């Protein structure tokens, strides 16, 4: 998915990789990119159906 010429999926994968490399991170913070991607996808779906 691309928004304003930003490859959202690639950006999220990069963040997930960086978070996986960080050993001192809280589990809740590791899930943040997944939740943000879900929000973006839901907004995109709403935009596509004309809401």
């Amino acid at each position: 998915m691309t928004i304003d010429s930003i490859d959202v999926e690639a950006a999220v994968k990069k963040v997930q990789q960086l978070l996986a490399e960080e050993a001192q991170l809280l589990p809740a913070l590791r899930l943040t990119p997944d939740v943000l991607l879900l929000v973006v996808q839901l907004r995109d779906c709403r935009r596509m159906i004309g809401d």
Side-chain angles (χ1 to χ4, degrees):
M1 173 185 351
T2 303
I3 299 175
D4 293 333
S5 73
I6 298 171
D7 185 354
V8 175
E9 292 173 0
V12 169
K13 285 181 183 181
K14 183 174 182 176
V15 170
Q16 287 174 327
Q17 178 186 1
L18 292 172
L19 291 174
E21 294 171 2
E22 182 59 52
Q24 301 295 325
L25 220 49
L26 296 172
L29 187 54
R30 292 187 190 277
L31 294 175
T32 302
D34 294 329
V35 173
L36 291 175
L37 181 58
L38 177 62
V39 169
V40 169
Q41 289 173 331
L42 289 172
R43 288 187 53 89
D44 189 49
C45 288
R46 287 185 64 184
R47 184 180 53 86
M48 290 175 61
I49 61 173
D51 188 16

